[in-house]
Amino acid sequence: MGTVLKGCYIVTSEKTVRSDLRIDGEKIESIGLSVEKDGDEIIDLKGSYILPGGIDAHTHFDLELPNIKTSDDFKSGTKSAIAGGTTTIIDFVNCHRGEKLSDALETYKEKTKGKCYSDYGFHMTLCEWNKEVESEMEEMVKQGITSFKMYMAYKDTLQVNEEEIEQALKKSKELGALISFHCENGDEIIKNINDLISKGKSAVKYHEASRSSEVEYEAVNTLIKIARKINYPVFIVHLSSKMSLDAVIKARREGVKIFVETCPHYLLLNKDFYELKGDDGLEGSKYVMSPPLRSREDNNALWEGIKLGEIDTIATDHCSFNYKDKRENAKIDFSKIPNGIPSVQHRMELIFSYGVKDKIISLNEMVKLTSTNPAKIFGLYPKKGEIKVGSDADLLIIEDGYKDTISFENSIQEVDYTPYEGFESNGKIKRVFLRGKELVKDGEFIGKEPTGQYISRNKWSYERR
Ligand SMILES: [Zn+2]
């Protein structure tokens, strides 16, 4: 017995068609009219849109830092993802210098075991370069971890230098893997922090000054230089500024292959939020993440980049620290505030409400940015990120013509605030299916035990237009 979704508009990255869809087991079995068989369950969707389930390729669940741990673990994080229409997440295995990649991976296998409501995969962090890391990279690719991450910021813990990036990128080319980069010049950041604090500038708003657009731009240019030399694609995570995007566009015209991700907060929030005072003058700490929020001009330039096809994916960088802890640390100075904000639950409805409904992008483009492109770039396609016969029945039914407000009260993320408090939502996440199983019904999460599976990923296969 299968399930037939009737009377819906099937939306892919390429087109929208009015059709029915039959799910058999975990897969999409057929698409067309009159697809039902005897005994099938029929669900009449009355003209709703069906999208491929969202893929959030940038989350940090259960992230342990020296003094603090994220409030969302894999259980609450993936549950929130599903409730928001995201059926697959890719999280970053965190590791320390001197630690074997395989040991770090084991830690993450433990963290995720039996806990994930969505399907999931891992990117592996490379925080140093040596012979052992090099040979372990090969092992990771064999285990379906086909993407890596390097940080150009966070001196003394994660930051790598140009030589290390060059070596890793050479290896990546040999393996057909992909490395994503956090682009901020960590040396500059330290200098700026010391300089600002010594002048008594310790308030929340100086977070942005310590990590200005120039700090990102410089790292982006360093990365472009290396990518050009090695002649192999790189992926830039959470691009935040016009300046950096312009540098990427220019390099692309010259033949350098760069894939770019941005996040809802660089499109919808701006640095004025750091001025928010709240009860104790510290409300701005809610919005501390890296890179920081920029100007409205940057917001607009990123939307423009999206329209022009210069931005490939939108992910959340969900990294939830409670406001109470952010605020507590903000009392010392801005540099002590844990970096990161939550949003895994709200990405799809935000992009629908502020991208599609505001007519900046089409619904097909939304699918491309939030699902199909990440699937291709991170080796999940066509199992994920697509609605076609044989693909996983990971589906999101979104209801248009609806008005609600995003708030902490109606979120299920395990964190004491949402940075999108009061934002209007025009797209109800009505139903969500993960591999054929309905986990959200009439807007309510109805999952019982976690059934998410680890996805061993293929190598990237994606050509920019
Ligand atoms: Zn991140």
Side-chain angles (χ1 to χ4, degrees):
M1 189 186 103
T3 304
V4 176
L5 306 180
K6 271 185 100 67
C8 42
Y9 289 95
I10 296 178
V11 185
T12 67
S13 61
E14 301 290 335
K15 56 182 192 273
T16 303
V17 287
R18 176 102 197 200
S19 182
D20 299 345
L21 180 155
R22 183 172 189 272
I23 301 169
D24 190 0
E26 299 194 335
K27 303 281 182 191
I28 298 169
E29 188 254 358
S30 51
I31 296 170
L33 298 173
S34 318
V35 292
E36 67 238 53
K37 297 183 180 168
D38 282 349
D40 279 350
E41 179 195 6
I42 312 287
I43 300 174
D44 186 356
L45 293 175
K46 301 185 174 72
S48 299
Y49 297 119
I50 303 193
L51 283 58
I55 298 173
D56 191 342
H58 193 155
T59 65
H60 302 273
F61 299 142
D62 202 352
L63 174 64
E64 291 171 83
L65 299 178
N67 310 317
I68 197 164
K69 190 168 155 8
T70 54
S71 51
D72 275 304
D73 64 3
F74 280 89
K75 195 164 190 177
S76 64
T78 55
K79 190 177 182 176
S80 308
I82 291 281
T86 291
T87 46
T88 301
I89 59 106
I90 313 178
D91 204 269
F92 294 86
V93 171
N94 198 30
C95 68
H96 322 289
R97 287 180 190 158
E99 185 182 22
K100 286 180 64 140
L101 303 186
S102 47
D103 289 343
L105 178 60
E106 278 311 308
T107 305
Y108 272 71
K109 283 184 178 166
E110 273 307 306
K111 282 177 191 281
T112 46
K113 204 168 151 192
K115 280 195 160 180
C116 293
Y117 284 95
S118 70
D119 282 353
Y120 63 100
F122 299 123
H123 309 281
M124 175 57 68
T125 305
L126 305 174
C127 53
E128 60 189 338
W129 188 255
N130 54 47
K131 280 280 160 225
E132 191 172 22
V133 171
E134 184 175 355
S135 69
E136 277 210 291
M137 252 179 108
E138 273 182 68
E139 188 48 42
M140 291 299 128
V141 172
K142 282 185 199 147
Q143 295 199 35
I145 297 173
T146 51
S147 53
F148 298 86
K149 165 101 173 263
M150 295 182 103
Y151 291 82
M152 297 171 82
Y154 301 116
K155 205 167 167 55
D156 301 325
T157 54
L158 295 166
Q159 189 173 325
V160 288
N161 62 35
E162 288 187 35
E163 177 60 25
E164 291 172 309
I165 294 173
E166 199 175 314
Q167 294 305 324
L169 196 55
K170 269 189 199 158
K171 188 68 187 178
S172 175
K173 184 176 183 177
E174 189 188 313
L175 296 172
L178 189 64
I179 307 182
S180 61
F181 291 88
H182 175 128
C183 291
E184 283 187 301
N185 181 328
D187 297 334
E188 281 298 313
I189 294 167
I190 297 288
K191 258 197 275 171
N192 293 342
I193 291 174
N194 291 339
D195 189 44
L196 287 159
I197 305 268
S198 72
K199 289 177 180 147
K201 295 178 172 175
S202 62
V204 174
K205 66 177 179 183
Y206 295 107
H207 170 67
E208 203 274 335
S210 75
R211 316 177 82 111
S212 64
S213 297
E214 284 78 8
V215 166
E216 181 183 62
Y217 173 76
E218 231 182 86
V220 165
N221 274 320
T222 302
L223 182 63
I224 288 171
K225 185 180 77 185
I226 302 169
R228 194 192 305 269
K229 182 173 168 191
I230 307 298
N231 189 24
Y232 192 67
V234 291
F235 185 96
I236 299 179
V237 290
H238 52 47
L239 195 90
S240 69
S241 66
K242 175 180 192 304
M243 209 184 247
S244 298
L245 182 61
D246 288 345
V248 166
I249 294 172
K250 180 169 175 287
R252 279 177 176 159
R253 300 296 171 263
E254 296 161 1
V256 184
K257 281 202 170 139
I258 309 167
F259 308 141
V260 168
E261 165 196 286
T262 193
C263 310
H265 43 277
Y266 302 122
L267 298 166
L268 301 173
L269 306 175
N270 61 69
K271 62 185 176 185
D272 293 350
F273 284 83
Y274 293 125
E275 309 274 353
L276 288 178
K277 296 289 177 262
D279 302 338
D280 54 4
L282 301 169
E283 193 179 351
S285 64
K286 280 181 183 171
Y287 302 90
V288 168
M289 83 293 280
S290 291
L293 298 174
R294 307 293 185 198
S295 67
R296 283 172 204 274
E297 193 198 350
D298 289 293
N299 297 157
N300 295 339
L302 292 175
W303 276 120
E304 194 57 32
I306 283 176
K307 273 203 292 198
L308 296 172
E310 298 289 357
I311 288 177
D312 302 289
T313 70
I314 300 175
T316 60
D317 196 5
H318 180 100
C319 186
S320 57
F321 296 108
N322 283 315
Y323 173 39
K324 68 173 166 45
D325 296 322
K326 283 177 155 281
R327 189 160 62 181
E328 209 43 44
N329 284 280
K331 287 177 187 163
I332 311 169
D333 69 64
F334 68 83
S335 73
K336 306 294 186 298
I337 304 168
N339 277 218
I341 62 163
S343 64
V344 73
Q345 189 184 344
H346 300 122
R347 180 183 65 137
M348 300 302 271
E349 59 181 317
L350 285 169
I351 301 305
F352 184 81
S353 305
Y354 293 92
V356 179
K357 294 300 287 179
D358 284 357
K359 296 193 167 49
I360 299 175
I361 55 171
S362 67
L363 196 49
N364 308 90
E365 284 167 312
M366 169 173 162
V367 168
K368 193 182 287 183
L369 291 154
T370 57
S371 182
T372 311
N373 280 356
K376 289 178 176 172
I377 293 174
F378 295 109
L380 294 163
Y381 191 85
K383 179 178 167 65
K384 307 288 190 190
E386 186 60 283
I387 298 184
K388 68 175 176 193
V389 172
S391 292
D392 282 358
D394 293 352
L395 302 166
L396 155 61
I397 288 98
I398 198 161
E399 190 183 86
D400 193 3
Y402 151 94
K403 266 197 183 2
D404 200 1
T405 305
I406 294 176
S407 74
F408 158 68
E409 270 83 25
N410 61 25
S411 301
I412 61 167
Q413 299 171 150
E414 197 66 49
V415 54
D416 64 3
Y417 78 105
T418 163
Y420 297 101
E421 190 70 40
F423 273 62
E424 201 173 273
S425 170
N426 303 118
K428 189 182 178 79
I429 306 297
K430 190 84 187 284
R431 294 173 185 263
V432 179
F433 292 83
L434 173 66
R435 281 178 284 101
K437 197 170 169 16
E438 192 167 25
L439 294 180
V440 174
K441 189 176 184 176
D442 294 327
E444 293 298 324
F445 181 84
I446 55 162
K448 300 277 190 296
E449 289 308 304
T451 54
Q453 289 179 354
Y454 171 71
I455 314 281
S456 175
R457 293 181 292 119
N458 297 319
K459 294 174 185 177
W460 64 277
S461 65
Y462 174 69
E463 283 300 324
R464 305 200 73 261
R465 289 185 265 137

